[in-house]
Amino acid sequence: MEATTGARPVRRGLLRRKADYIPPSRYTLRAALTDGDAFTRLSFLILGAGNIARKQILKGLLFLAVEIAYIAFMATSGAENLAMIPSLGWREQTAEKIDGYWHYTPGDNSVIVLLYGVATIFITLLFVVFWAYAVRSAYKAQLLAAETGSAPDFIQDWRNITDREAQVSLMALPVLGILIFSILPTLFMMCMAFTNYDSDHVLLFDWVGLENFGQLFSADGAVNASLFGEVLAWTLVWAFFATFLNFFLGLFLAMVINRPTTRLKGFWRAVFSLSIAVPQFVSLLVINQMLQPEGAINRLLMSWGWIDEALPFFTDATWARVTVIVVNLWIGIPFTIMQITGILQNIPAEQYEAARIDGANWWQTFTRITMPYLVFVLTPYLITTFTGNVNNFNVIYLLSNGNPTPVGATAGKTDLLITWLYKLTVDKGDYNLGAVIGIFTFITLAIVSLITYRSSASYKDEGGFR
Amino acid sequence: MSWASQEDQLNEDSWLQTMEKEFEELHPEYDITWNNQVVSSADAATIAKQDPTVAADVFMYASDQLGTLKEANAIARMSDDAVEQIETQYEGSESMIQSVTGDDGYLYGAPFGGNTWFMYYRKSKFTEEDITSLDAMLAKGKVSFPLTNSWYLPAFYMGAGGTLFGEDGTDGEAGVQFGGDIGEAVTKYLIDLRNNPNFVNDSNGSGLAGLKSGAVDVVFSGSWDEPTVKENLGDDYGVAALPTFNLNGTAVQMKSFAGSTVVAWNPYTKHPKAADQFAAFLASTEAQRAHYEMRGTIPSDMTLASEPEIAENLVAKAQLETIARTSVVQPSIPEMANFWGPCENFGKSILGNEVTYDNARELTDKWMASYASLM
């Protein structure tokens, strides 16, 4: 694309924009309807008709086959799936006794109804996109046939998408994967937030609109506004400390090890990385055991006579919160050391050299060279770490399990949104409330990451520091 | 396909495989392909309710999950033949039949073994008199009790007259009634218990470890811990039904939950008749005897209990006595699933000094209020 713009004598700013400029396609649905001939218009109903008329037989047949497959799918099960969505099923299981033995006829299962319904809607949307593409393709074939004498045949098309338009064929599979494995399940989960799918409605449930969202902002109940606010605030506080304490302490250690006068660099790095070698969940469970009231740490301190009563590691809210943050340091710092060591070694030595000649002291080189460089490179990493910490299920669930939990509450003092979600869905079966909290976690994360990333140097000055 | 615990299907000679072979001989009319999977009775309901259509044809579950399974349409009624078999097996033990009876009066599955907890103790420390009173034992030795385990904690409240879902545990509307004056008194007793230097909280196996090291003289547990206890205590091995505790001057009997492990079949099976027959067969007198001989589990079948070999077994005696005299049938309605979490939290709050004499009443009532909002 650079080559096409090179020759034009335009102002610099304009040229930059022009480089990525792609003119809108002239093969639009509207143009196909107004300017298309009979075959092209027939393609609105029978996909591929226009292509077949321009001797793109294989392509036309493929379009037609997709249409037939879609109609067949809708006729056999799709239409029924759609029809079931508004009610989410109503038939109950029935039993009858034959010769003293019970025989059962299964009833509707709302989860399945919902899943199939969402998938059918999804397939229909995909088909609409495909339909538009096929119609435009018919119109394009008509125009090309009129302009050049013949529309490209299948072999030419094939060459095209494997060579000049290779991005289309290369991206097709990943995009399809994202649609099927992340968008579809997300939509399915979000639908649950509008139903009463909880432990009391396991098989048959109904749409309830925004009731669950109302529940989240109500004054009482298993999930309520004050509890949500408290968990959300702690989640953000936790993510902040877990991210930045790890970062700065890891940075400090990495720089100490990286000093020219430090001997045995490899040895120190290996020592600090040892905790990575033990699987996280093992160390977390072991630490959980050690910090129990009758655990090793309390016993040791008591036998030394330092304390009279067990330290309330997971029974006092403040203690528990500090404990999870401190233990997380131990789990997380080694990774930061590794990460930062790599970047520190990558900072051009001439810059330090020049700074030294100019008479900069240690603090000045740190704030003017090291930090900007690190922050520039690491902002996206810090955002993902922050996101990861908001959803840091392992550390909280395995270490404190959300404790201490006040009497009668569904979330403990160290519960994050994600562990709360887990407790509501897996332990209690309240999938609807879980879905609502999932949606709010997503919103929180989206806001935080977008704001930080859009205002970071990595985004604004893409291509800097090359 | 059938689900059972790991230990029952280790190899070709294990209990489940042996039973399958015998069942095939009994019913030559079926051509069965066996497919055994490891799903413990405690997890059956959780897994089955996720998608009953792919759950095992025959599975074992813990009786308190009956309500959950029923709500998920994941459990089927027993045939007339099976009901007859169960009624003969459990003549005189109403609680076992009650544990598998749904709220519609039908029997869902056949009881296979009793499930409750009682007391193991160091024999040389206590007299026959001592072991009938928790306070007497606390005065003489170290007592370990799982205060933070919601299967054990209710023993004090239920003993003092608290009820779970009405008198017979089937009334979901009645809710949990551990509050009021009695609840306050029990909570205060538990605070005293926690402050007693001879009390040790039992969590993560610390009780059994204490028995071995000598730091603990009494633990509360069930028949599954018998081999470990025997090994840890050696000649000092003692086992007994639950003791009483002293609530404001009166001796109150602790009452444990009693439930059963149940064999049941899945209504989504393609072969309902065969599944029903196999489930009933797995819970039959012969199968239970085989299980006792192979794995030492205490059978629940009353006809077996009177056999001399089992009648002389100390653990069997303690278990049968507990079920008969000092137990409450573990409610099997779906609301029961909400009971455990808050109860465990309350235990933790007591242990963590959050509950004090001053707020005992308030927090006990708050605990009850959380059930009111959950049910």
Side-chain angles (χ1 to χ4, degrees):
Chain A
M1 242 168 264
E2 300 286 334
T4 57
T5 55
R8 288 184 209 160
V10 245
R11 273 188 297 122
R12 225 185 119 68
L14 212 58
L15 185 111
R16 252 187 103 93
R17 222 179 310 136
K18 279 270 159 133
D20 286 335
Y21 179 73
I22 298 169
S25 168
R26 58 187 178 128
Y27 314 115
T28 61
L29 281 180
R30 177 178 302 203
L33 191 62
T34 51
D35 303 336
D37 64 5
F39 286 114
T40 305
R41 287 184 189 172
L42 187 61
S43 303
F44 277 95
L45 281 182
I46 300 169
L47 293 187
N51 301 80
I52 292 171
R54 320 287 169 211
K55 301 206 173 57
Q56 293 183 323
I57 308 225
L58 202 53
K59 198 173 180 181
L61 287 178
L62 275 176
F63 287 159
L64 190 61
V66 170
E67 186 178 14
I68 291 172
Y70 174 74
I71 291 172
F73 164 72
M74 286 309 277
T76 49
S77 60
E80 199 197 334
N81 293 344
L82 287 182
M84 293 283 277
I85 276 207
S87 66
L88 287 177
W90 65 92
R91 285 181 290 256
E92 301 220 7
Q93 186 184 53
T94 51
E96 62 173 330
K97 205 193 246 180
I98 303 168
D99 299 337
Y101 287 89
W102 289 94
H103 292 256
Y104 284 84
T105 319
D108 286 332
N109 184 340
S110 296
V111 181
I112 306 284
V113 170
L114 183 62
L115 179 64
Y116 283 4
V118 170
T120 309
I121 292 176
F122 202 68
I123 289 171
T124 305
L125 288 179
L126 278 184
F127 179 74
V128 169
V129 172
F130 182 80
W131 170 84
Y133 172 74
V135 171
R136 278 161 47 213
S137 163
Y139 181 54
K140 187 175 176 181
Q142 177 197 335
L143 289 193
L144 288 180
E147 286 161 11
T148 64
S150 72
D153 61 14
F154 192 73
I155 294 171
Q156 283 168 321
D157 274 338
W158 179 256
R159 284 206 187 114
N160 209 8
I161 62 160
T162 52
D163 182 17
R164 251 189 48 201
E165 306 266 295
Q167 76 274 19
V168 175
S169 47
L170 288 178
M171 287 297 285
L173 210 57
V175 168
L176 200 67
I178 288 173
L179 284 178
I180 293 175
F181 295 113
S182 62
I183 310 270
L184 181 63
T186 311
L187 283 177
F188 176 58
M189 183 214 85
M190 286 169 83
C191 286
M192 282 180 189
F194 303 95
T195 67
N196 60 356
Y197 182 23
D198 58 16
S199 48
D200 294 333
H201 305 84
V202 182
L203 280 176
L204 288 174
F205 51 81
D206 283 312
W207 297 107
V208 293
L210 292 171
E211 201 177 278
N212 299 319
F213 292 85
Q215 157 98 68
L216 191 59
F217 295 107
S218 66
D220 54 1
V223 171
N224 58 54
S226 67
L227 195 56
F228 175 73
E230 200 178 299
V231 176
L232 178 66
W234 159 244
T235 304
L236 293 176
V237 169
W238 146 264
F240 179 82
F241 279 111
T243 308
F244 291 101
L245 275 184
N246 269 350
F247 177 73
F248 283 110
L249 293 177
L251 170 67
F252 176 74
L253 274 179
M255 285 176 49
V256 169
I257 296 173
N258 216 38
R259 273 166 60 102
T261 47
T262 307
R263 283 195 285 171
L264 301 172
K265 286 190 170 60
F267 170 74
W268 292 117
R269 282 186 197 124
V271 166
F272 285 114
S273 308
L274 271 181
S275 68
I276 298 181
V278 185
Q280 228 187 47
F281 80 96
V282 176
S283 18
L284 288 170
L285 287 173
V286 169
I287 295 175
N288 172 288
Q289 289 294 311
M290 285 165 57
L291 294 178
Q292 290 300 318
E294 296 90 32
I297 304 233
N298 274 319
R299 287 214 180 150
L300 211 59
L301 290 177
M302 275 198 258
S303 69
W304 286 345
W306 290 14
I307 51 170
D308 298 328
E309 204 175 318
L311 295 175
F313 286 111
F314 296 121
T315 46
D316 180 271
T318 317
W319 274 82
R321 288 175 172 177
V322 173
T323 305
V324 288
I325 289 176
V326 170
V327 173
N328 185 56
L329 289 181
W330 188 74
I331 302 274
I333 283 182
F335 290 96
T336 324
I337 295 181
M338 296 252 190
Q339 186 103 11
I340 290 182
T341 304
I343 297 165
L344 285 180
Q345 289 171 343
N346 212 11
I347 299 179
E350 311 88 75
Q351 291 196 10
Y352 288 114
E353 186 86 34
R356 211 178 53 239
I357 292 167
D358 285 347
N361 62 21
W362 174 85
W363 179 248
Q364 281 169 326
T365 38
F366 175 72
T367 50
R368 298 290 165 81
I369 300 174
T370 316
M371 268 320 274
Y373 195 91
L374 279 173
V375 168
F376 179 80
V377 178
L378 285 182
T379 309
Y381 163 79
L382 282 176
I383 293 171
T384 44
T385 315
F386 187 85
T387 316
N389 277 323
V390 166
N391 287 331
N392 205 333
F393 183 82
N394 278 5
V395 173
I396 300 294
Y397 194 78
L398 298 176
L399 194 59
S400 73
N401 194 10
N403 287 327
T405 311
V407 175
T410 49
K413 293 286 182 191
T414 56
D415 261 324
L416 304 180
L417 286 173
I418 188 90
T419 52
W420 192 23
L421 191 157
Y422 179 87
K423 286 179 177 176
L424 285 174
T425 50
V426 177
D427 295 349
K428 288 160 58 65
D430 289 341
Y431 297 92
N432 53 353
L433 293 176
V436 171
I437 291 174
I439 290 174
F440 274 93
T441 312
F442 170 75
I443 293 174
T444 314
L445 279 179
I447 293 174
V448 171
S449 339
L450 275 179
I451 291 178
T452 14
Y453 185 59
R454 300 267 311 188
S455 55
S456 73
S458 319
Y459 176 80
K460 286 184 181 161
D461 189 20
E462 195 178 357
F465 269 110
R466 269 190 184 159
Chain B
M1 183 168 35
S2 41
W3 284 353
S5 73
Q6 173 105 47
E7 294 81 1
D8 284 332
Q9 41 175 306
L10 286 177
N11 55 46
E12 276 307 300
D13 298 326
S14 293
W15 175 79
L16 185 62
Q17 277 84 349
T18 315
M19 289 304 115
E20 284 169 356
K21 272 175 228 150
E22 284 182 18
F23 183 72
E24 263 179 78
E25 279 165 27
L26 267 176
H27 294 277
E29 73 269 27
Y30 298 130
D31 175 25
I32 309 175
T33 316
W34 300 102
N35 176 4
N36 302 324
Q37 287 179 5
V38 176
V39 173
S40 79
S41 57
D43 301 332
T46 323
I47 299 178
K49 89 174 180 204
Q50 279 162 8
D51 188 359
T53 53
V54 295
D57 298 326
V58 173
F59 58 90
M60 290 201 185
Y61 73 95
S63 62
D64 60 296
Q65 300 165 347
L66 174 59
T68 313
L69 284 164
K70 249 188 108 234
E71 199 168 58
N73 288 355
I75 190 163
R77 295 167 191 161
M78 296 307 283
S79 66
D80 295 349
D81 294 355
V83 170
E84 201 178 308
Q85 175 197 322
I86 296 164
E87 274 166 1
T88 342
Q89 276 179 296
Y90 295 99
E91 219 175 332
S93 176
E94 275 304 306
S95 64
M96 289 307 273
I97 294 186
Q98 203 189 326
S99 73
V100 296
T101 310
D103 46 12
D104 49 10
Y106 289 106
L107 258 55
Y108 289 87
F112 172 70
N115 192 17
T116 190
W117 52 274
F118 34 91
M119 182 170 74
Y120 294 105
Y121 64 99
R122 198 180 301 276
K123 224 171 171 179
S124 56
K125 273 262 182 179
F126 308 103
T127 64
E128 285 289 315
E129 181 73 33
D130 291 337
I131 60 164
T132 59
S133 159
L134 185 64
D135 302 276
M137 288 190 293
L138 276 165
K140 280 193 170 176
K142 295 271 188 187
V143 176
S144 170
F145 184 86
L147 205 58
T148 53
N149 188 322
S150 39
W151 202 46
Y152 294 83
L153 183 63
F156 293 97
Y157 293 93
M158 294 192 300
T163 57
L164 257 173
F165 308 115
E167 284 301 320
D168 56 359
T170 54
D171 183 6
E173 294 292 312
V176 184
Q177 301 298 342
F178 288 175
D181 292 338
I182 296 174
E184 183 187 0
V186 176
T187 305
K188 283 184 175 165
Y189 178 83
L190 293 175
I191 296 171
D192 288 338
L193 178 66
R194 174 201 71 205
N195 293 336
N196 192 320
N198 274 347
F199 164 77
V200 184
N201 186 46
D202 187 353
S203 68
N204 302 314
S206 65
L208 289 178
L211 274 189
K212 192 171 188 176
S213 69
V216 165
D217 302 314
V218 180
V219 295
F220 292 85
S221 185
S223 55
W224 57 91
D225 272 337
E226 187 213 358
T228 325
V229 174
K230 249 184 184 157
E231 191 183 306
N232 291 356
L233 285 179
D235 295 338
D236 245 354
Y237 170 77
V239 52
L242 296 182
T244 59
F245 66 101
N246 182 349
L247 190 65
N248 297 336
T250 43
V252 172
Q253 176 64 50
M254 288 169 74
K255 282 191 173 165
S256 61
F257 278 129
S260 54
T261 314
V262 188
V263 196
W265 60 280
N266 183 345
Y268 286 93
T269 178
K270 291 192 183 70
H271 314 284
K273 191 174 173 185
D276 180 288
Q277 286 171 336
F278 185 55
F281 178 74
L282 280 185
S284 66
T285 309
E286 303 83 68
Q288 288 196 31
R289 183 188 288 118
H291 205 244
Y292 175 75
E293 282 160 6
M294 282 176 167
R295 287 200 42 211
T297 359
I298 314 300
S300 57
D301 193 317
M302 294 308 280
T303 51
L304 278 177
S306 52
E307 288 188 6
E309 188 194 351
I310 295 169
E312 279 162 25
N313 186 317
L314 284 174
V315 176
K317 227 163 99 184
Q319 171 151 335
L320 289 169
E321 199 181 324
T322 304
I323 292 181
R325 205 166 57 77
T326 67
S327 74
V328 173
V329 175
Q330 192 167 330
S332 54
I333 56 178
E335 283 85 349
M336 194 60 193
N338 289 326
F339 172 75
W340 309 112
C343 183
E344 185 183 327
N345 281 335
F346 193 71
K348 283 181 180 161
S349 300
I350 295 178
L351 194 67
N353 288 331
E354 197 190 321
V355 184
T356 61
Y357 255 74
D358 294 333
N359 64 16
R361 175 80 183 223
E362 182 196 341
L363 286 182
T364 311
D365 286 345
K366 201 172 165 195
W367 172 31
M368 291 305 117
S370 72
Y371 287 123
S373 74
L374 281 173
M375 307 290 172

